């Protein structure tokens, strides 16, 4: 990622104005449009999670909770601006992390300690740190997580307008590097906490799967149930603390996303048409209101899709693949012209969208299923043979093999069963290949390029510029 730092001058608020400056105006609009579309489908996913958690804890309908969350977030995003959102996101992130760590500690106590957590997780085939299966259709392996995650995070941390807006909002290049480094530390902490929380949850329910017994209907309801179970009557307020943590995470994510999209839309679509910025605050508030309302309506679509994590990563793959294609061409390929960039980005977008759409459609139709690994109900004390024990036993999973089980019907095209972590990689690769082919036919005059728009490592491939006349 460090090779991209020198190309982003401090005076620019988005990378669109730098690395894509040598292409036509239509290419400039592609990243903005992509980010807008991605956020419009990502924010409803974020909205749906806390509503599902509160539904499990209190029984409140999902669609009576999401409007409240959306209204609160829209209000403080509209009036707080970037500074307000940054402070609330920071505070909410800290609070959410502390709450999750509290739940982990109490869960470990209930299970019998950290050693018992790892013991039960190992016996349940949940500890697979080095699943080296190279099969690209395997859902989660060492390769899908390392390669796929690298591609996705490269697009997110280097080229996403929201991230770059925050980098250039700090005083200097040095501060921006520190922001990047501390962001990496924060991401590692959050990922580690959530993964270990999953192990604790499995250990607690290793002998009594709530999905099999019917206590919960969706995997997304497991964590709220777990908090209720470990809190019991001993830890009053823990359930409320957890719900507050989930809401904090949702509000911070939604606020940051709305702020990013609103700022990008105003700066790149509205501001060029205005002579002054007198109406900028009102315009930004209206954009946030419209986007928030639209995302609220799209929650009805999200609830019919697959797992929350897979949906989020899949949607991100569409945007990330195209973003990465464009910016890699703009920064690292002086030979690419506008036609090549357009052809490559369109190809990347269409292929990624086709894979994601086909995959989600087949998941919704039941043609692609992810049964999960081995579970059990032998320790369920509430079940009796005369009631629903046999039904629960019929729902348990028995797969003990390596990796996650994927069941695909023969009518499904192979590309739709590709691991969701590879969507961005496939889209980027296809886009780069098409861009290279189109550019090879249409050619690019290297004498016309401004070397300042390329990373220093590739500037030596440009022909020498004529000396200025005295």
């Amino acid at each position: 990622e460090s090779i991209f730092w020198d190309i982003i001058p401090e005076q620019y608020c988005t990378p669109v104005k730098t690395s894509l400056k040598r292409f036509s105006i239509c290419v400039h609009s592609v990243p903005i449009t992509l980010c807008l579309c991605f956020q419009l489908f990502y924010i409803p996913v974020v909205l749906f999670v806390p509503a599902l958690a509160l539904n499990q804890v209190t029984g409140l309908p999902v669609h009576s909770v999401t409007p409240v969350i959306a209204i609160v977030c829209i209000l403080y995003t509209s009036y707080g601006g970037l500074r307000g959102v940054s402070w609330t996101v920071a505070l909410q992130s800290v609070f959410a992390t502390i709450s999750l760590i509290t739940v982990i500690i109490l869960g470990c106590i209930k299970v019998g300690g950290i050693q018992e957590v790892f013991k039960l997780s190992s016996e349940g085939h949940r500890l697979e740190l080095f699943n080296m299966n190279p099969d690209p259709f395997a859902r989660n392996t060492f390769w899908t997580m390392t390669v796929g995650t690298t591609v996705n995070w490269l697009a997110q941390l280097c080229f996403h307008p929201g991230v770059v807006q925050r980098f250039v909002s700090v005083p200097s290049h040095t501060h921006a590097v520190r922001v990047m480094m501390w962001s990496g530390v924060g991401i590692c902490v959050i990922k580690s906490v959530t993964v270990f929380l999953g192990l604790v949850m499995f250990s607690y329910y290793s002998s009594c799967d709530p999905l099999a017994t019917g206590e919960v209907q969706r995997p997304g309801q497991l964590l709220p149930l777990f908090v209720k179970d470990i809190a019991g009557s001993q830890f009053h307020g823990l359930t409320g603390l957890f719900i507050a943590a989930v809401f904090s995470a949702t509000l911070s994510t939604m606020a940051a996303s709305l702020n990013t999209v609103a700022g990008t839309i105003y700066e790149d679509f509205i501001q060029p048409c205005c002579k002054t910025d007198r109406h900028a605050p009102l315009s930004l508030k209206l954009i946030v209101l419209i986007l928030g309302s639209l995302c609220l309506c799209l929650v009805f679509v999200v609830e019919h899709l697959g797992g929350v994590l897979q949906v989020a990563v899949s949607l991100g793959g569409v945007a990330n693949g195209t973003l990465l294609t464009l910016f890699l061409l703009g920064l690292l390929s002086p030979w690419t012209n506008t036609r090549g960039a357009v052809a490559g980005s369109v190809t990347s977008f269409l292929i990624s969208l086709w894979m994601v759409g086909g995959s989600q459609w087949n998941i919704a139709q039941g043609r692609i299923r992810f049964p999960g690994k081995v579970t059990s109900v032998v320790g369920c004390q509430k079940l009796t043979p005369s009631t629903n024990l046999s039904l629960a036993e019929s729902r348990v999973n028995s797969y003990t093999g390596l990796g996650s089980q994927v069941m695909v019907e023969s009518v499904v095209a192979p590309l739709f069963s590709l691991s969701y972590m590879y969507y961005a990689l496939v889209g980027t690769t296809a886009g780069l290949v098409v861009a290279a082919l189109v550019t090879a036919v249409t050619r690019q005059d290297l004498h016309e390029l401004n070397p300042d728009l390329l990373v220093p490592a590739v500037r030596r491939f440009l022909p020498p510029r004529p000396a200025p006349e005295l």
Side-chain angles (χ1 to χ4, degrees):
E1 296 169 357
S2 60
I3 64 173
F4 300 113
W5 276 109
D6 294 334
I7 203 66
I8 304 179
E10 294 181 8
Q11 66 266 30
Y12 293 123
C13 291
T14 64
V16 177
K17 296 180 179 178
T18 53
S19 59
L20 302 184
K21 192 175 181 180
R22 63 190 182 93
F23 299 132
S24 67
I25 189 65
C26 65
V27 179
H28 295 189
S29 304
V30 171
I32 305 167
T33 306
L34 277 176
C35 291
L36 173 61
C37 294
F38 168 66
Q39 295 295 348
L40 284 179
F41 284 95
Y42 178 69
I43 294 174
V45 175
V46 175
L47 266 175
F48 182 66
V49 173
L52 197 63
L54 195 61
N55 170 262
Q56 176 62 33
V57 174
T58 65
L60 288 174
V62 170
H63 297 296
S64 66
V65 177
T66 50
V68 177
I69 305 173
I71 291 171
V72 171
C73 191
I74 289 171
L75 286 176
Y76 82 74
T77 303
S78 300
Y79 289 95
L82 180 60
R83 181 181 294 273
V85 168
S86 298
W87 274 104
T88 54
V89 167
L91 294 174
Q92 289 165 349
S93 299
V94 171
F95 178 70
T97 304
I98 293 174
S99 301
L100 290 178
I101 293 175
T102 303
V103 172
I104 287 176
I105 293 173
L106 295 178
C108 287
I109 294 173
K110 288 283 187 178
V111 171
I114 295 178
Q115 286 185 335
E116 188 67 14
V117 169
F118 282 106
K119 174 178 174 292
L120 293 173
S121 298
S122 178
E123 292 174 353
H125 303 273
R126 261 60 179 187
L127 292 180
E128 296 177 355
L129 299 180
F130 297 101
N131 178 3
M132 309 304 290
N133 183 5
D135 184 5
F137 300 98
R139 195 159 178 245
N140 295 311
T141 67
F142 175 85
W143 302 112
T144 60
M145 298 307 295
T146 52
V147 177
T149 303
T150 298
V151 173
N152 279 289
W153 279 109
L154 182 63
Q156 285 289 316
L157 293 181
C158 290
F159 307 127
H160 193 281
V163 175
V164 178
Q165 283 176 9
R166 282 150 182 79
F167 286 155
V168 299
S169 67
V170 295
S172 66
H173 180 277
T174 303
H175 286 83
V177 173
R178 291 176 184 172
V179 170
M180 170 71 83
M181 294 176 62
W182 282 110
S183 297
V185 173
I187 291 170
C188 291
V189 170
I190 292 296
K191 296 293 183 183
S192 301
V193 168
T194 51
V195 168
F196 188 68
L197 177 58
L199 295 179
V200 175
M201 287 173 56
F202 170 76
S203 302
Y204 187 82
Y205 293 119
S206 59
S207 61
C208 187
D209 180 14
L211 284 169
T213 61
E215 284 189 84
V216 295
Q217 305 302 318
R218 305 170 64 108
Q221 296 173 313
L222 282 171
L223 183 54
L225 176 67
F226 173 68
V227 175
K228 284 178 60 179
D229 287 346
I230 64 172
S233 59
Q234 295 177 309
F235 303 100
H236 297 288
L238 179 62
T239 304
L241 178 67
F242 165 74
I243 294 298
V246 174
F247 273 75
S248 294
T250 298
L251 289 171
S252 63
T253 303
M254 184 177 178
S257 299
L258 287 176
N259 184 271
T260 295
V261 176
T264 305
I265 290 176
Y266 177 80
E267 183 177 353
D268 290 276
F269 291 112
I270 298 178
Q271 191 178 43
C273 303
C274 300
K275 296 181 179 180
T276 66
D277 291 334
R278 184 176 58 180
H279 300 294
L282 178 61
S283 300
L284 289 169
K285 289 180 175 62
L286 288 175
I287 294 172
V288 170
L289 177 61
I290 294 171
L291 291 175
S293 302
L294 183 58
C295 291
L296 180 61
C297 296
L298 289 174
V299 172
F300 292 92
V301 178
V302 169
E303 66 176 331
H304 297 292
L305 300 178
V308 172
L309 176 62
Q310 177 161 335
V311 171
V313 175
S314 299
L315 292 174
V318 178
N320 292 338
T322 312
L323 277 177
L324 201 55
T325 298
L326 271 177
F327 284 103
L328 288 179
L329 291 172
L331 292 171
L332 301 177
S333 178
W335 305 277
T336 303
N337 56 23
T338 297
R339 293 178 181 177
V342 171
S345 60
V346 170
T347 300
S348 176
F349 176 75
L350 292 179
I351 288 181
S352 301
L353 186 63
W354 179 55
M355 288 191 298
V356 172
S359 174
Q360 290 300 320
W361 171 257
N362 283 287
I363 290 173
Q365 297 297 313
R367 300 189 187 113
I368 300 178
R369 300 184 301 278
F370 312 104
K373 308 202 74 168
V374 60
T375 55
S376 174
V377 292
V378 296
C380 296
Q381 300 177 355
K382 298 179 182 179
L383 298 177
T384 61
S386 60
T387 55
N388 51 2
L389 179 59
S390 59
L391 178 61
E393 289 178 341
S394 66
R395 293 173 177 170
V396 299
N397 301 316
S398 58
Y399 180 71
T400 58
L402 194 63
S404 303
Q405 189 179 18
V406 181
M407 301 182 68
V408 183
E409 295 183 4
S410 58
V411 296
V412 178
L415 200 58
F416 294 151
S417 59
L418 186 74
S419 173
Y420 64 99
M421 298 299 296
Y422 282 144
Y423 291 155
L425 176 62
V426 173
T428 301
T429 304
L432 294 177
V433 170
V434 170
L437 294 175
V438 172
T439 300
V441 175
T442 56
R443 300 293 180 181
Q444 164 71 29
D445 187 359
L446 298 182
H447 293 85
E448 298 178 354
L449 288 182
N450 180 0
D452 294 335
L453 300 179
L454 300 168
V455 296
V458 300
R459 291 173 187 170
R460 64 177 181 269
F461 296 109
L462 297 178
R465 306 187 75 178
E469 297 182 1
L470 299 177

